[in-house]
């Protein structure tokens, strides 16, 4: 018995030694002969950037180039892996972190002097202006990229086969695009790619710390209230209803006869309170967690649910991603159908079969 264990230990030690040895002799990073793709997530805040990212991820796979994971944009570049795990994305397609690519591969694969920027346009004479304005300029500056030339192309992103012919990897080992090769709102068929977006350990730790410190082990309903003045103004365009408005395809099929109304976009406090109560009763929750850009309605919710002994929590986290994480973990989530911030939470919850509903949508 003892002898067997000893033998086993020696054998595993030998195996370890052998595999460590082979790793040493391999080059640290291989160059992808099928080329690389990078683009700026230069539109809007995180919710919009995430929708663009998933569309761009699908496109990178369709054209079979390694996706250089763009930094997220706040007032500065945030490395992709600060918020999400690269290992999970790699299960779907070949990816490399932009900061790693610039340090390890760009000097040989994409050296200064050979950096072309591309943008889609119906007119090939369009000037691309890759770095004009914010966040375009700061995004590339922070990655240390200057463009030696810029070219417009006319092949649309929904034609990956033609696109591959236009951009051969031997001629263009790296294709840098001005914007994401994706639509907004995102294509419905790309929503499932959310399964490859797994929060980084740091986000999970910070989100869990808040939950453990404030309402450990209690059931909670998470809600997203989009009610700032900019939003109220935007919702004003919905008089009479539209078939599609911003992220609304997440809950209303644009080809159906249903309309996105002002009420869905900017629900009244009465609607909000009655929907919260319904789901608090249904789930047996004793906590409501509120994420908002403006007014958390803490007192209104507290007094409406006074009989149910519900506590209301709201933080204005320095990282909106903490709100997204906490809403993702809730026993029920109620969000705004028109908002891409809500859409991120709703997609993440679908991955784990958690229920979501939307204000004023039945
Ligand atoms: C896609 O690219 C990878 C890596 O360069 C390559 O091994 C693979 O054969 C390519 N697939 C197709 C269908 O071309």
């Amino acid at each position: 018995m003892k002898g067997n264990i000893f033998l086993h230990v020696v054998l595993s030690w030998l195996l370890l030694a052998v595999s460590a040895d082979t790793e040493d002799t391999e080059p640290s990073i291989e160059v992808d002969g099928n080329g690389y793709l990078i683009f700026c997530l230069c539109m809007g805040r995180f919710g919009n950037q995430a929708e663009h990212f998933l569309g761009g991820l699908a496109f990178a796979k369709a054209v079979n180039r390694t996706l250089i994971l763009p930094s997220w944009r706040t007032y500065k570049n945030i490395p992709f892996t600060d918020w999400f795990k690269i290992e999970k994305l790699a299960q779907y397609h070949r990816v490399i972190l932009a900061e790693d690519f610039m340090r390890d591969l760009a000097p040989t694969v994409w050296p200064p002097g050979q950096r072309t920027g591309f943008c889609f346009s119906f007119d090939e004479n369009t000037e691309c202006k890759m770095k004009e304005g914010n966040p375009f300029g700061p995004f590339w500056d922070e990655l240390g990229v200057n463009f030696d030339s810029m070219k417009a192309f006319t092949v649309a992103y929904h034609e990956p086969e033609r696109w591959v012919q236009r951009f051969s990897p031997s001629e263009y080992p790296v294709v840098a695009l001005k914007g994401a090769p994706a639509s907004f709102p995102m294509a419905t068929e790309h929503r499932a790619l959310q399964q490859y977006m797994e929060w980084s350990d740091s986000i999970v730790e910070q989100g869990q710390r808040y939950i453990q410190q404030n309402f450990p082990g209690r059931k909670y309903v998470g809600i997203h209230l989009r009610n700032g003045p900019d939003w109220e103004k935007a919702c004003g365009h919905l008089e009479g209803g539209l078939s599609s408005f911003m992220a609304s395809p997440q809950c209303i099929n644009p080809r159906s006869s249903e309309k996105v109304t002002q009420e869905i976009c900017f629900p009244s406090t009465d609607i909000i309170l009655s929907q919260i109560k319904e789901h608090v009763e249904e789930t047996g929750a004793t906590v409501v967690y509120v994420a908002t850009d403006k007014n958390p309605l803490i007192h209104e919710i507290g007094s409406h649910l006074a009989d149910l002994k519900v506590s209301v929590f709201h933080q204005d986290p320095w990282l909106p991603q903490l709100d997204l994480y906490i809403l993702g973990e809730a026993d029920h989530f109620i969000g705004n159908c028109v908002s891409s911030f809500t859409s991120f939470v709703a997609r993440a919850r679908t991955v784990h079969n958690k229920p979501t509903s939307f204000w004023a949508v039945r």
Side-chain angles (χ1 to χ4, degrees), residues 231-272:
W231 193 254
E232 187 166 13
K233 198 165 162 230
C235 297
H237 298 299
L238 283 169
E239 220 166 324
L242 288 176
S243 51
S244 175
F245 189 54
M246 295 196 246
S248 72
Q250 69 175 313
C251 86
I252 290 184
N253 183 342
R255 283 181 293 269
S256 74
S257 59
E258 277 177 279
K259 294 274 183 264
V260 190
T261 61
Q262 247 166 354
E263 186 126 85
I264 290 174
C265 188
F266 204 88
S268 67
T269 305
D270 280 352
I271 287 187
I272 291 169

Side-chain angles (χ1 to χ4, degrees), residues 326-342:
I326 295 169
L327 294 176
E329 296 292 301
D331 293 279
H332 190 87
F333 169 61
I334 316 172
N336 188 309
C337 174
V338 176
S339 154
S340 60
F341 188 91
T342 279

Side-chain angles (χ1 to χ4, degrees), residues 29 96-108 115 143:
I29 302 185
I96 181 171
L97 191 66
E99 289 78 1
D100 290 349
F101 176 84
M102 290 310 299
R103 187 190 58 231
D104 300 333
L105 292 177
T108 46
R115 294 178 178 171
L143 289 173

Side-chain angles (χ1 to χ4, degrees), residues 181-303:
S183 61
F184 180 83
M186 67 189 296
T188 306
E189 68 264 29
H190 296 152
R191 294 181 65 84
L193 294 181
Q194 184 76 30
Q195 67 186 285
Y196 301 103
M197 302 282 279
E198 193 172 301
W199 290 114
S200 67
D201 291 342
S202 143
I203 296 288
V204 173
E205 268 164 37
Q206 295 175 74
Q208 278 299 331
R209 194 180 313 138
Y210 181 87
I211 294 172
Q212 296 314 320
Q213 281 171 359
N214 291 285
F215 45 90
R218 290 164 72 180
K219 285 196 171 172
Y220 67 103
V221 171
I223 66 170
H224 176 215
L225 299 176
R226 186 75 163 87
N227 53 19
D230 64 318
W231 193 254
E232 187 166 13
K233 198 165 162 230
C235 297
H237 298 299
L238 283 169
E239 220 166 324
L242 288 176
S243 51
S244 175
F245 189 54
M246 295 196 246
S248 72
Q250 69 175 313
C251 86
I252 290 184
N253 183 342
R255 283 181 293 269
S256 74
S257 59
E258 277 177 279
K259 294 274 183 264
V260 190
T261 61
Q262 247 166 354
E263 186 126 85
I264 290 174
C265 188
F266 204 88
S268 67
T269 305
D270 280 352
I271 287 187
I272 291 169
L273 295 177
S274 80
Q275 271 183 253
I276 296 174
K277 188 168 190 179
E278 179 187 321
H279 290 290
V280 161
E281 284 175 336
E282 172 206 88
T283 55
T286 59
V287 168
V288 173
Y289 180 82
V290 187
T292 183
D293 56 321
K294 181 73 178 169
N295 182 359
L297 297 180
I298 292 177
H299 301 297
E300 291 86 339
I301 298 168
S303 60

Side-chain angles (χ1 to χ4, degrees), residues 31-35 64-66 93-94:
V31 173
D32 185 352
N34 263 299
N64 199 24
R65 282 174 175 262
T66 294
H93 186 57
R94 305 184 306 280

